[in-house]
Amino acid sequence: MSRHAVLRINLKAFMSNLNIVKKYAPKSKIWCVVKANAYGHTIKAALKGLRNTSGFAVLEMNEAVFLRENGWKGPILLISGFFEKSELSEICQYKLTTVIHSMWQIEILKKYHVTQPIHIYLKLNSGMNRLGFDKDNFIHAWNELYKLKQVSSVTLMSHFSHSNSKRSVRKQVKIINEIANKIQKIPLCLANSTAILLHPETHKDWIRPGIILYNNFEPVMTLESKLIAIQNVRSKKFIGYGKSYYSRFDNTIGIVSCGYADGYPYNINSSGTPVLVDGIRTQILGSICMDMLIVDLKLCPNARIGSI
């Protein structure tokens, strides 16, 4: 490999983060959310690092199929439900749980001959105003599903729009409880990442950690490369494209073999962004190039060509 940019996934960090989530909600089962290719960390890595979860929640059918074909036998939740009638055959084939958030999905399910009953997560719009039945229509949707032979079980699912706010969560929980009290013993799946951390009263039967599995406790992903050049820059000189950084003092800079072609965000406010060189925290200087970026080495006197 001629270039040095490498993306590393720490499976032990995955495991550690999941264990921390379990400590926050010890009585709840866990849907590890691995949508969008596990937030860019790859489904393959997530399957290895999060194998002690109760189940996986995905967005697309191909993610669910990948999990099944790579040995996952536990529950899988289609977190936004099915998009086409044709997907119901795969839901049955791969034994998936699906969200129902709209009446059109129920109408399709009514007419579909399933090979085995399907577990349903019925979404209540308790304040997010994105997907789901409002409180005036949820009970009707639940009654429609309850009488279908195509349905194995129904769980009430909802999503918090502002989990950092106790007032907002309390308002939504009031609506959820109002509905849940009308349906005896209906399982509940409410808490997203922030609610898991801040609102233990929302944990219920299942929780849905997403972003906290990847970087809230211990970062799972590391973008790593090496210094390919070191330059001594005199004071009162510009560095990099567009004269975006002006060096007021004599400085030593390092050129790293990594840029936006390798996934480093081009539009990030680069100057001042922290980066480690030989384990020492320093900063990026100037604009991100396609295949290079520039780092400040004044705090890294032992840096050399090949330093990581």
Side-chain angles (χ1 to χ4, degrees):
M1 184 171 63
S2 58
R3 296 186 70 240
H4 305 288
V6 176
L7 189 67
R8 299 192 185 280
I9 304 296
N10 185 341
L11 297 183
K12 289 184 179 179
F14 256 145
M15 297 175 191
S16 175
N17 291 345
L18 177 57
N19 287 334
I20 293 172
V21 169
K22 288 181 177 181
K23 290 179 181 178
Y24 272 91
K27 296 181 180 180
S28 301
K29 294 181 181 179
I30 299 173
W31 291 113
C32 283
V33 181
V34 293
K35 63 182 179 180
N37 201 21
Y39 289 64
H41 294 67
T42 76
I43 295 282
K44 183 177 181 180
L47 178 57
K48 292 179 180 178
L50 300 172
R51 61 181 179 271
N52 290 326
T53 185
S54 312
F56 286 105
V58 300
L59 179 62
E60 299 184 31
M61 183 64 69
N62 63 341
E63 295 170 330
V65 173
F66 180 90
L67 288 169
R68 283 286 185 250
E69 292 183 346
N70 283 271
W72 177 252
K73 299 184 185 301
I76 299 175
L77 173 66
L78 291 173
I79 205 163
S80 289
F82 57 90
F83 299 94
E84 304 287 344
K85 177 182 177 180
S86 59
E87 291 180 313
L88 284 170
S89 62
E90 292 176 294
I91 288 172
C92 293
Q93 178 183 352
Y94 293 103
K95 299 180 180 179
L96 309 179
T97 301
T98 183
V99 166
I100 294 285
H101 57 76
S102 298
M103 202 65 204
W104 66 263
Q105 293 171 311
I106 295 177
E107 293 302 321
I108 287 176
L109 188 58
K110 282 181 181 180
K111 302 171 184 176
Y112 191 80
H113 175 72
V114 299
T115 55
Q116 58 183 3
I118 300 170
H119 294 289
I120 301 296
Y121 269 48
L122 186 60
K123 193 156 193 177
L124 170 65
N125 174 17
S126 59
M128 185 74 163
N129 295 320
R130 192 174 61 178
L131 293 177
F133 297 89
D134 62 27
K135 65 179 183 179
D136 296 326
N137 293 295
F138 185 90
I139 296 295
H140 171 72
W142 182 84
N143 284 328
E144 290 292 299
L145 290 170
Y146 184 76
K147 62 188 179 185
L148 293 181
K149 64 180 184 300
Q150 294 94 325
V151 174
S152 175
S153 67
V154 180
T155 295
L156 187 158
M157 175 184 179
S158 198
H159 196 66
F160 297 112
S161 61
H162 190 16
S163 300
N164 288 316
S165 166
K166 288 185 178 180
R167 182 179 179 181
S168 178
V169 169
R170 193 181 301 118
K171 184 177 180 180
Q172 287 189 245
V173 167
K174 182 179 179 181
I175 294 172
I176 293 165
N177 287 339
E178 178 185 335
I179 296 299
N181 289 338
K182 295 179 180 180
I183 306 171
Q184 290 187 350
K185 297 181 180 180
I186 187 169
L188 301 176
C189 177
L190 308 178
N192 57 356
S193 288
T194 308
I196 291 167
L197 302 180
L198 300 181
H199 308 288
E201 72 277 12
T202 68
H203 292 170
K204 304 305 180 181
D205 300 278
W206 287 82
I207 58 174
R208 304 188 307 275
I211 194 66
I212 56 174
L213 295 170
Y214 303 92
N215 63 18
N216 273 59
F217 307 121
E218 183 177 351
V220 174
M221 179 187 291
T222 303
L223 183 58
E224 177 184 295
S225 192
K226 297 181 179 181
L227 293 180
I228 59 172
I230 295 175
Q231 306 283 0
N232 294 310
V233 179
R234 301 296 297 271
S235 64
K236 299 180 182 180
K237 298 289 184 182
F238 290 99
I239 295 174
Y241 278 128
K243 297 185 175 181
S244 59
Y245 183 81
Y246 182 71
S247 181
R248 299 183 181 278
F249 309 97
D250 291 353
N251 201 359
T252 302
I253 63 172
I255 313 303
V256 181
S257 178
C258 179
Y260 60 81
D262 304 293
Y264 194 96
Y266 172 77
N267 60 350
I268 197 169
N269 182 14
S270 303
S271 290
T273 301
V275 64
L276 298 179
V277 176
D278 283 344
I280 298 173
R281 180 172 171 144
T282 182
Q283 63 179 339
I284 291 174
L285 301 177
S287 300
I288 304 301
C289 308
M290 185 176 190
D291 51 5
M292 287 178 280
L293 54 82
I294 302 166
V295 294
D296 188 348
L297 295 182
K298 67 175 176 285
L299 298 177
C300 309
N302 297 320
R304 65 196 185 282
I305 303 299
S307 289
I308 297 174

